[in-house]
mmCIF file of all heavy atoms in Angstrom:
data_model
loop_
_atom_site.group_PDB
_atom_site.id
_atom_site.type_symbol
_atom_site.label_atom_id
_atom_site.label_comp_id
_atom_site.label_asym_id
_atom_site.label_seq_id
_atom_site.Cartn_x
_atom_site.Cartn_y
_atom_site.Cartn_z
ATOM 1 N N PRO B 8 -83.810 -34.846 -27.704
ATOM 2 C CA PRO B 8 -85.066 -34.373 -28.270
ATOM 3 C C PRO B 8 -85.876 -35.517 -28.864
ATOM 4 O O PRO B 8 -85.385 -36.646 -28.962
ATOM 5 C CB PRO B 8 -84.583 -33.423 -29.359
ATOM 6 C CG PRO B 8 -83.304 -34.046 -29.837
ATOM 7 C CD PRO B 8 -82.660 -34.624 -28.593
ATOM 8 N N GLN B 9 -87.076 -35.218 -29.279
ATOM 9 C CA GLN B 9 -87.922 -36.230 -29.915
ATOM 10 C C GLN B 9 -87.465 -36.449 -31.367
ATOM 11 O O GLN B 9 -87.462 -37.565 -31.870
ATOM 12 C CB GLN B 9 -89.371 -35.770 -29.876
ATOM 13 C CG GLN B 9 -90.372 -36.842 -30.267
ATOM 14 C CD GLN B 9 -91.802 -36.370 -30.109
ATOM 15 O OE1 GLN B 9 -92.051 -35.216 -29.737
ATOM 16 N NE2 GLN B 9 -92.753 -37.234 -30.383
ATOM 17 N N TYR B 10 -87.105 -35.336 -32.007
ATOM 18 C CA TYR B 10 -86.610 -35.380 -33.385
ATOM 19 C C TYR B 10 -85.353 -34.521 -33.488
ATOM 20 O O TYR B 10 -85.198 -33.549 -32.755
ATOM 21 C CB TYR B 10 -87.631 -34.775 -34.371
ATOM 22 C CG TYR B 10 -88.979 -35.420 -34.388
ATOM 23 C CD1 TYR B 10 -90.018 -34.895 -33.632
ATOM 24 C CD2 TYR B 10 -89.231 -36.541 -35.171
ATOM 25 C CE1 TYR B 10 -91.271 -35.475 -33.645
ATOM 26 C CE2 TYR B 10 -90.489 -37.130 -35.187
ATOM 27 C CZ TYR B 10 -91.496 -36.585 -34.425
ATOM 28 O OH TYR B 10 -92.744 -37.166 -34.436
ATOM 29 N N GLN B 11 -84.487 -34.883 -34.414
ATOM 30 C CA GLN B 11 -83.310 -34.057 -34.674
ATOM 31 C C GLN B 11 -82.933 -34.215 -36.134
ATOM 32 O O GLN B 11 -82.736 -35.341 -36.621
ATOM 33 C CB GLN B 11 -82.147 -34.490 -33.779
ATOM 34 C CG GLN B 11 -80.906 -33.658 -33.927
ATOM 35 C CD GLN B 11 -80.910 -32.465 -33.017
ATOM 36 O OE1 GLN B 11 -80.934 -32.572 -31.805
ATOM 37 N NE2 GLN B 11 -80.874 -31.289 -33.615
ATOM 38 N N HIS B 12 -82.848 -33.087 -36.808
ATOM 39 C CA HIS B 12 -82.336 -33.083 -38.177
ATOM 40 C C HIS B 12 -80.968 -32.419 -38.145
ATOM 41 O O HIS B 12 -80.840 -31.311 -37.610
ATOM 42 C CB HIS B 12 -83.270 -32.292 -39.110
ATOM 43 C CG HIS B 12 -84.601 -32.926 -39.296
ATOM 44 N ND1 HIS B 12 -85.555 -32.414 -40.139
ATOM 45 C CD2 HIS B 12 -85.153 -34.036 -38.749
ATOM 46 C CE1 HIS B 12 -86.636 -33.190 -40.107
ATOM 47 N NE2 HIS B 12 -86.408 -34.164 -39.262
ATOM 48 N N VAL B 13 -79.982 -33.064 -38.712
ATOM 49 C CA VAL B 13 -78.635 -32.483 -38.745
ATOM 50 C C VAL B 13 -78.079 -32.588 -40.148
ATOM 51 O O VAL B 13 -78.497 -33.453 -40.936
ATOM 52 C CB VAL B 13 -77.675 -33.186 -37.752
ATOM 53 C CG1 VAL B 13 -78.165 -33.042 -36.322
ATOM 54 C CG2 VAL B 13 -77.485 -34.651 -38.118
ATOM 55 N N GLN B 14 -77.141 -31.719 -40.459
ATOM 56 C CA GLN B 14 -76.408 -31.821 -41.712
ATOM 57 C C GLN B 14 -75.336 -32.905 -41.533
ATOM 58 O O GLN B 14 -74.746 -33.025 -40.453
ATOM 59 C CB GLN B 14 -75.735 -30.500 -42.062
ATOM 60 C CG GLN B 14 -76.681 -29.408 -42.549
ATOM 61 C CD GLN B 14 -77.254 -29.723 -43.921
ATOM 62 O OE1 GLN B 14 -78.438 -29.505 -44.179
ATOM 63 N NE2 GLN B 14 -76.419 -30.243 -44.808
ATOM 64 N N GLU B 17 -72.261 -32.977 -38.929
ATOM 65 C CA GLU B 17 -72.518 -32.342 -37.638
ATOM 66 C C GLU B 17 -72.622 -33.413 -36.553
ATOM 67 O O GLU B 17 -72.850 -34.582 -36.821
ATOM 68 C CB GLU B 17 -73.818 -31.526 -37.686
ATOM 69 C CG GLU B 17 -73.726 -30.295 -38.548
ATOM 70 C CD GLU B 17 -75.020 -29.498 -38.546
ATOM 71 O OE1 GLU B 17 -76.082 -30.064 -38.205
ATOM 72 O OE2 GLU B 17 -74.972 -28.306 -38.896
ATOM 73 N N ASP B 18 -72.472 -32.953 -35.318
ATOM 74 C CA ASP B 18 -72.599 -33.876 -34.192
ATOM 75 C C ASP B 18 -74.054 -33.973 -33.745
ATOM 76 O O ASP B 18 -74.888 -33.105 -34.063
ATOM 77 C CB ASP B 18 -71.747 -33.378 -33.008
ATOM 78 C CG ASP B 18 -70.263 -33.454 -33.294
ATOM 79 O OD1 ASP B 18 -69.883 -33.979 -34.367
ATOM 80 O OD2 ASP B 18 -69.480 -32.998 -32.434
ATOM 81 N N PHE B 19 -74.343 -35.020 -32.998
ATOM 82 C CA PHE B 19 -75.705 -35.274 -32.519
ATOM 83 C C PHE B 19 -75.648 -35.872 -31.123
ATOM 84 O O PHE B 19 -74.786 -36.714 -30.838
ATOM 85 C CB PHE B 19 -76.405 -36.251 -33.478
ATOM 86 C CG PHE B 19 -77.595 -36.979 -32.883
ATOM 87 C CD1 PHE B 19 -78.809 -36.331 -32.710
ATOM 88 C CD2 PHE B 19 -77.495 -38.310 -32.503
ATOM 89 C CE1 PHE B 19 -79.901 -36.996 -32.170
ATOM 90 C CE2 PHE B 19 -78.581 -38.985 -31.957
ATOM 91 C CZ PHE B 19 -79.795 -38.324 -31.789
ATOM 92 N N THR B 20 -76.564 -35.415 -30.261
ATOM 93 C CA THR B 20 -76.639 -35.983 -28.919
ATOM 94 C C THR B 20 -78.098 -36.218 -28.543
ATOM 95 O O THR B 20 -78.948 -35.372 -28.782
ATOM 96 C CB THR B 20 -76.008 -35.051 -27.870
ATOM 97 O OG1 THR B 20 -74.660 -34.764 -28.242
ATOM 98 C CG2 THR B 20 -75.994 -35.721 -26.490
ATOM 99 N N THR B 21 -78.383 -37.345 -27.948
ATOM 100 C CA THR B 21 -79.697 -37.622 -27.386
ATOM 101 C C THR B 21 -79.534 -37.931 -25.905
ATOM 102 O O THR B 21 -78.560 -38.575 -25.497
ATOM 103 C CB THR B 21 -80.419 -38.777 -28.118
ATOM 104 O OG1 THR B 21 -81.611 -39.120 -27.389
ATOM 105 C CG2 THR B 21 -79.554 -40.016 -28.237
ATOM 106 N N LYS B 36 -80.677 -48.999 -31.677
ATOM 107 C CA LYS B 36 -80.944 -48.212 -32.876
ATOM 108 C C LYS B 36 -81.978 -48.977 -33.697
ATOM 109 O O LYS B 36 -81.839 -50.195 -33.905
ATOM 110 C CB LYS B 36 -79.666 -48.025 -33.699
ATOM 111 C CG LYS B 36 -79.893 -47.271 -35.003
ATOM 112 C CD LYS B 36 -78.608 -47.177 -35.803
ATOM 113 C CE LYS B 36 -78.845 -46.465 -37.132
ATOM 114 N NZ LYS B 36 -77.601 -46.382 -37.941
ATOM 115 N N GLN B 37 -82.974 -48.256 -34.163
ATOM 116 C CA GLN B 37 -84.001 -48.878 -34.994
ATOM 117 C C GLN B 37 -84.089 -48.105 -36.299
ATOM 118 O O GLN B 37 -84.425 -46.923 -36.317
ATOM 119 C CB GLN B 37 -85.362 -48.888 -34.283
ATOM 120 C CG GLN B 37 -86.448 -49.644 -35.042
ATOM 121 C CD GLN B 37 -87.750 -49.725 -34.251
ATOM 122 O OE1 GLN B 37 -88.013 -48.908 -33.377
ATOM 123 N NE2 GLN B 37 -88.587 -50.725 -34.555
ATOM 124 N N PRO B 39 -85.801 -47.299 -39.960
ATOM 125 C CA PRO B 39 -87.204 -47.316 -40.421
ATOM 126 C C PRO B 39 -87.579 -48.684 -40.980
ATOM 127 O O PRO B 39 -86.884 -49.235 -41.821
ATOM 128 C CB PRO B 39 -87.207 -46.240 -41.517
ATOM 129 C CG PRO B 39 -86.099 -45.306 -41.147
ATOM 130 C CD PRO B 39 -85.030 -46.174 -40.536
ATOM 131 N N ARG B 60 -67.550 -43.637 -33.692
ATOM 132 C CA ARG B 60 -68.004 -42.261 -33.566
ATOM 133 C C ARG B 60 -69.069 -42.077 -32.493
ATOM 134 O O ARG B 60 -69.553 -40.968 -32.259
ATOM 135 C CB ARG B 60 -68.564 -41.783 -34.909
ATOM 136 C CG ARG B 60 -67.535 -41.705 -36.026
ATOM 137 C CD ARG B 60 -68.155 -41.256 -37.360
ATOM 138 N NE ARG B 60 -69.087 -42.262 -37.866
ATOM 139 C CZ ARG B 60 -70.398 -42.119 -37.815
ATOM 140 N NH1 ARG B 60 -70.948 -41.033 -37.306
ATOM 141 N NH2 ARG B 60 -71.182 -43.070 -38.311
ATOM 142 N N LEU B 74 -76.165 -40.357 -25.490
ATOM 143 C CA LEU B 74 -75.493 -40.946 -26.651
ATOM 144 C C LEU B 74 -75.070 -39.793 -27.548
ATOM 145 O O LEU B 74 -75.915 -38.962 -27.927
ATOM 146 C CB LEU B 74 -76.452 -41.877 -27.405
ATOM 147 C CG LEU B 74 -76.148 -42.170 -28.875
ATOM 148 C CD1 LEU B 74 -74.787 -42.805 -29.059
ATOM 149 C CD2 LEU B 74 -77.232 -43.053 -29.477
ATOM 150 N N ILE B 76 -73.055 -38.745 -31.092
ATOM 151 C CA ILE B 76 -72.466 -39.198 -32.353
ATOM 152 C C ILE B 76 -71.659 -38.045 -32.929
ATOM 153 O O ILE B 76 -72.176 -36.931 -33.117
ATOM 154 C CB ILE B 76 -73.537 -39.637 -33.374
ATOM 155 C CG1 ILE B 76 -74.407 -40.750 -32.788
ATOM 156 C CG2 ILE B 76 -72.866 -40.121 -34.659
ATOM 157 C CD1 ILE B 76 -75.525 -41.214 -33.717
ATOM 158 N N THR B 79 -71.843 -36.947 -37.933
ATOM 159 C CA THR B 79 -72.870 -37.870 -38.398
ATOM 160 C C THR B 79 -72.725 -38.198 -39.880
ATOM 161 O O THR B 79 -72.244 -37.396 -40.680
ATOM 162 C CB THR B 79 -74.270 -37.285 -38.166
ATOM 163 O OG1 THR B 79 -74.334 -35.983 -38.779
ATOM 164 C CG2 THR B 79 -74.597 -37.203 -36.700
ATOM 165 N N GLN B 80 -73.186 -39.393 -40.202
ATOM 166 C CA GLN B 80 -73.216 -39.843 -41.595
ATOM 167 C C GLN B 80 -74.652 -40.257 -41.920
ATOM 168 O O GLN B 80 -75.462 -40.494 -41.009
ATOM 169 C CB GLN B 80 -72.268 -41.038 -41.777
ATOM 170 C CG GLN B 80 -70.826 -40.718 -41.466
ATOM 171 C CD GLN B 80 -69.920 -41.934 -41.515
ATOM 172 O OE1 GLN B 80 -70.356 -43.061 -41.748
ATOM 173 N NE2 GLN B 80 -68.626 -41.714 -41.286
ATOM 174 N N THR B 81 -74.957 -40.364 -43.195
ATOM 175 C CA THR B 81 -76.333 -40.724 -43.581
ATOM 176 C C THR B 81 -76.723 -42.101 -43.059
ATOM 177 O O THR B 81 -77.904 -42.379 -42.847
ATOM 178 C CB THR B 81 -76.501 -40.685 -45.110
ATOM 179 O OG1 THR B 81 -75.510 -41.503 -45.706
ATOM 180 C CG2 THR B 81 -76.366 -39.252 -45.634
ATOM 181 N N THR B 82 -75.744 -42.930 -42.821
ATOM 182 C CA THR B 82 -76.040 -44.268 -42.284
ATOM 183 C C THR B 82 -76.467 -44.232 -40.814
ATOM 184 O O THR B 82 -76.919 -45.243 -40.271
ATOM 185 C CB THR B 82 -74.812 -45.179 -42.409
ATOM 186 O OG1 THR B 82 -73.682 -44.510 -41.823
ATOM 187 C CG2 THR B 82 -74.518 -45.512 -43.863
ATOM 188 N N ASP B 83 -76.330 -43.068 -40.178
ATOM 189 C CA ASP B 83 -76.738 -42.947 -38.771
ATOM 190 C C ASP B 83 -78.243 -42.710 -38.632
ATOM 191 O O ASP B 83 -78.770 -42.707 -37.512
ATOM 192 C CB ASP B 83 -75.990 -41.791 -38.099
ATOM 193 C CG ASP B 83 -74.499 -42.040 -38.010
ATOM 194 O OD1 ASP B 83 -74.098 -43.208 -37.826
ATOM 195 O OD2 ASP B 83 -73.732 -41.052 -38.133
ATOM 196 N N VAL B 84 -78.925 -42.537 -39.744
ATOM 197 C CA VAL B 84 -80.367 -42.276 -39.711
ATOM 198 C C VAL B 84 -81.107 -43.410 -39.003
ATOM 199 O O VAL B 84 -80.819 -44.578 -39.203
ATOM 200 C CB VAL B 84 -80.899 -42.117 -41.149
ATOM 201 C CG1 VAL B 84 -82.408 -42.251 -41.194
ATOM 202 C CG2 VAL B 84 -80.462 -40.806 -41.743
ATOM 203 N N GLY B 85 -82.059 -43.023 -38.172
ATOM 204 C CA GLY B 85 -82.859 -44.015 -37.460
ATOM 205 C C GLY B 85 -83.375 -43.422 -36.162
ATOM 206 O O GLY B 85 -83.188 -42.245 -35.883
ATOM 207 N N THR B 86 -84.020 -44.270 -35.374
ATOM 208 C CA THR B 86 -84.487 -43.852 -34.068
ATOM 209 C C THR B 86 -83.640 -44.521 -32.999
ATOM 210 O O THR B 86 -83.428 -45.733 -33.037
ATOM 211 C CB THR B 86 -85.969 -44.220 -33.858
ATOM 212 O OG1 THR B 86 -86.745 -43.604 -34.872
ATOM 213 C CG2 THR B 86 -86.460 -43.745 -32.499
ATOM 214 N N TYR B 87 -83.144 -43.729 -32.092
ATOM 215 C CA TYR B 87 -82.291 -44.230 -31.019
ATOM 216 C C TYR B 87 -83.104 -44.292 -29.732
ATOM 217 O O TYR B 87 -83.702 -43.309 -29.300
ATOM 218 C CB TYR B 87 -81.063 -43.333 -30.846
ATOM 219 C CG TYR B 87 -80.135 -43.410 -32.038
ATOM 220 C CD1 TYR B 87 -80.347 -42.611 -33.155
ATOM 221 C CD2 TYR B 87 -79.075 -44.306 -32.054
ATOM 222 C CE1 TYR B 87 -79.521 -42.711 -34.275
ATOM 223 C CE2 TYR B 87 -78.239 -44.400 -33.162
ATOM 224 C CZ TYR B 87 -78.467 -43.607 -34.263
ATOM 225 O OH TYR B 87 -77.644 -43.706 -35.364
ATOM 226 N N GLY B 104 -87.557 -42.361 -27.332
ATOM 227 C CA GLY B 104 -86.853 -42.409 -28.609
ATOM 228 C C GLY B 104 -86.535 -41.043 -29.176
ATOM 229 O O GLY B 104 -87.255 -40.063 -28.958
ATOM 230 N N THR B 105 -85.442 -40.985 -29.896
ATOM 231 C CA THR B 105 -85.068 -39.777 -30.652
ATOM 232 C C THR B 105 -84.860 -40.190 -32.098
ATOM 233 O O THR B 105 -84.032 -41.060 -32.386
ATOM 234 C CB THR B 105 -83.766 -39.156 -30.119
ATOM 235 O OG1 THR B 105 -83.955 -38.704 -28.792
ATOM 236 C CG2 THR B 105 -83.343 -37.985 -31.006
ATOM 237 N N ARG B 106 -85.638 -39.534 -32.970
ATOM 238 C CA ARG B 106 -85.522 -39.869 -34.389
ATOM 239 C C ARG B 106 -84.526 -38.924 -35.030
ATOM 240 O O ARG B 106 -84.695 -37.701 -34.983
ATOM 241 C CB ARG B 106 -86.875 -39.753 -35.072
ATOM 242 C CG ARG B 106 -86.883 -40.365 -36.460
ATOM 243 C CD ARG B 106 -88.256 -40.375 -37.092
ATOM 244 N NE ARG B 106 -89.259 -40.868 -36.179
ATOM 245 C CZ ARG B 106 -90.539 -40.511 -36.256
ATOM 246 N NH1 ARG B 106 -90.944 -39.701 -37.191
ATOM 247 N NH2 ARG B 106 -91.402 -40.987 -35.391
ATOM 248 N N LEU B 107 -83.489 -39.513 -35.600
ATOM 249 C CA LEU B 107 -82.421 -38.725 -36.218
ATOM 250 C C LEU B 107 -82.532 -38.781 -37.730
ATOM 251 O O LEU B 107 -82.631 -39.855 -38.324
ATOM 252 C CB LEU B 107 -81.056 -39.263 -35.786
ATOM 253 C CG LEU B 107 -79.840 -38.659 -36.492
ATOM 254 C CD1 LEU B 107 -79.709 -37.172 -36.165
ATOM 255 C CD2 LEU B 107 -78.564 -39.401 -36.114
ATOM 256 N N LYS B 108 -82.480 -37.602 -38.329
ATOM 257 C CA LYS B 108 -82.442 -37.509 -39.780
ATOM 258 C C LYS B 108 -81.137 -36.790 -40.142
ATOM 259 O O LYS B 108 -80.831 -35.753 -39.562
ATOM 260 C CB LYS B 108 -83.625 -36.713 -40.294
ATOM 261 C CG LYS B 108 -84.128 -37.120 -41.658
ATOM 262 C CD LYS B 108 -85.458 -36.468 -41.958
ATOM 263 C CE LYS B 108 -86.246 -37.286 -42.959
ATOM 264 N NZ LYS B 108 -87.554 -36.706 -43.264
ATOM 265 N N VAL B 109 -80.404 -37.328 -41.066
ATOM 266 C CA VAL B 109 -79.142 -36.723 -41.481
ATOM 267 C C VAL B 109 -79.283 -36.275 -42.928
ATOM 268 O O VAL B 109 -79.552 -37.088 -43.814
ATOM 269 C CB VAL B 109 -77.978 -37.722 -41.342
ATOM 270 C CG1 VAL B 109 -76.676 -37.063 -41.800
ATOM 271 C CG2 VAL B 109 -77.865 -38.222 -39.916
ATOM 272 N N LEU B 110 -79.075 -34.995 -43.148
ATOM 273 C CA LEU B 110 -79.222 -34.425 -44.483
ATOM 274 C C LEU B 110 -77.868 -34.379 -45.182
ATOM 275 O O LEU B 110 -76.912 -33.828 -44.638
ATOM 276 C CB LEU B 110 -79.824 -33.019 -44.365
ATOM 277 C CG LEU B 110 -81.127 -32.945 -43.555
ATOM 278 C CD1 LEU B 110 -81.518 -31.499 -43.295
ATOM 279 C CD2 LEU B 110 -82.232 -33.681 -44.289
#
Side-chain angles (χ1 to χ4, degrees):
Chain B
Q9 191 176 2
Y10 302 96
Q11 183 88 62
H12 293 183
V13 299
Q14 286 291 139
E17 291 181 340
D18 292 355
F19 159 76
T20 304
T21 172
K36 177 183 178 181
Q37 186 175 23
R60 295 179 294 105
L74 158 59
I76 302 178
T79 54
Q80 299 174 358
T81 54
T82 52
D83 295 325
V84 163
T86 302
Y87 293 85
T105 296
R106 192 174 313 153
L107 172 65
K108 211 169 205 179
V109 179
L110 307 170

